Amino acid sequence: RLTDGLDRTVTRTFTLIVESPLRVVTTTLPSATVGESYAFVLSADGGTGPRTWAISSGALPAGLVLAADGTITGTPTGPAGTYVVTVVVTDAAGTQATQALNIVVEHGTSVLTVEPVLLQVVGILSVRIGTLRGRLTDASGNGLAGRTVVFHTGMGTMCVGVTDADGYVACTLSVTNTALVIAALGINARFDGDDTWNASSGRGLLA
C-alpha cells in the first residue's frame, strides 16, 4: 500500500515466490555389472528449472556416460570395483549443487563351453585325439579375448590355451595326456576369473 502527502492511498497485491535451495537428492547409485546394460536417473530439487547435470570430478566406470538430463546409461566394461564420482547440477539461474557418489561394478558372468573330445582310431591299436577346443563368452554370448583356459583331468593339467579375439581357445594333447583323457572319459576346463569376469568351468565328453 502506498499513501501520498494528501492521504491518498493506492494498493496492489504482489506474489513473492521463494525458491528452495538447489540440492542433489540422489545420495547412492545402484550397483552395475560388467557386460550388462545400466540405466539410472539422478534427482535434484529446489532452484529454478531447467537443470543440467555434469561430472565435476572423478569418472564413471568405463562404458557408462552421464547425459545433461541426469541419466546415466551404458554397459560397464570393467574392471570390477568401486568408483567415486562427483556430479554437479546447475539450474537456470546458474546456481550449482554437488554430490559425491559411489558406484559398485560387479564382476561379469563368464560362460565356458567345451567341445566334445573327438577320438580318431588309427590302424588297429592306435587312438589319436585331435585338438581340444572351447569358447569363453559373457552371458550374452560375446567372446572374451585374451583369457587363459586350463584343460585338466583328475590327473592334473593336460594343456593350457589363451582365447582369441572371438573367445575361442584350442590346444593339442601330448601322447601321454591323450591316454589320461581317454581314462577320464573326457576333459574338464576352467577359467579362473580376473578383475573383470567371474570364474567359470566346463566339460567335454568323448565323442
Side-chain angles (χ1 to χ4, degrees):
R1 189 174 79 174
L2 177 64
T3 302
D4 65 9
L6 299 176
D7 202 28
R8 291 175 296 186
T9 300
V10 176
T11 61
R12 178 166 294 182
T13 301
F14 295 91
T15 301
L16 177 63
I17 299 175
V18 179
E19 298 284 358
S20 58
L22 179 65
R23 70 184 182 99
V24 179
V25 175
T26 302
T27 56
T28 60
L29 293 175
S31 61
T33 301
V34 172
E36 297 183 11
S37 61
Y38 182 91
F40 184 78
V41 180
L42 299 174
S43 177
D45 63 16
T48 304
R51 310 182 188 97
T52 57
W53 294 83
I55 293 174
S56 62
S57 66
L60 288 170
L64 298 184
V65 294
L66 171 63
D69 65 358
T71 303
I72 299 174
T73 57
T75 301
T77 58
T82 300
Y83 295 79
V84 181
V85 60
T86 299
V87 296
V88 56
V89 59
T90 305
D91 69 6
T95 304
Q96 293 185 326
T98 61
Q99 177 68 51
L101 300 170
N102 291 350
I103 179 170
V104 175
V105 177
E106 307 286 354
H107 287 78
T109 298
S110 69
V111 178
L112 180 56
T113 304
V114 182
E115 294 183 9
V117 181
L118 300 178
L119 295 179
Q120 178 184 358
V121 178
V122 181
I124 299 175
L125 301 177
S126 177
V127 176
R128 180 184 302 161
I129 292 183
T131 302
L132 299 178
R133 301 181 186 277
R135 188 172 188 233
L136 185 67
T137 68
D138 62 16
S140 299
N142 302 303
L144 304 181
R147 267 68 184 187
T148 299
V149 174
V150 178
F151 293 89
H152 63 96
T153 68
M155 301 299 293
T157 298
M158 299 294 103
C159 59
V160 178
V162 177
T163 56
D164 63 16
D166 294 316
Y168 290 99
V169 59
C171 61
T172 303
L173 292 171
S174 66
V175 174
T176 299
N177 287 345
T178 294
L180 295 176
V181 170
I182 294 174
L185 302 179
I187 190 70
N188 300 313
R190 73 173 188 270
F191 165 60
D192 290 331
D194 54 22
D195 62 356
T196 301
W197 301 98
N198 284 324
S200 57
S201 62
R203 178 170 173 78
L205 300 177
L206 298 182

